[in-house]
Amino acid sequence: EYTLSGEGLAIAPPAVTRMECDAPLMAQERAFLATLGDVRAFAIEPDGALRLEAGDGRALRARRR
């Protein structure tokens, strides 16, 4: 779930599996989910990528291949 209000964006915690991967992948997943949960804004970048921005400066960037 997400809530969009003006330029603000909030994303509810996603459903995830409880499968364990190697430690580096688990750390990457935890960092991704933590950032996703802290998203407060978004932007579409000049190259068309979606940028999800957390309040503390962390960001996720997604683009089509």
Side-chain angles (χ1 to χ4, degrees):
E1 287 184 32
Y2 67 93
T3 303
L4 182 61
S5 59
E7 292 297 316
L9 175 67
I11 300 174
V16 295
T17 66
R18 299 258 183 223
M19 291 183 67
E20 287 287 324
C21 298
D22 292 333
L25 288 175
M26 291 303 298
Q28 182 180 19
E29 179 184 61
R30 279 191 299 276
F32 172 80
L33 293 173
T35 302
L36 189 63
D38 292 339
V39 166
R40 298 295 173 256
F42 70 97
I44 304 298
E45 296 184 342
D47 66 354
L50 170 64
R51 181 178 173 89
L52 301 175
E53 302 169 355
D56 63 2
R58 292 174 295 152
L60 300 170
R61 187 172 188 273
R63 62 183 173 85
R64 289 184 182 192
R65 288 185 145 196

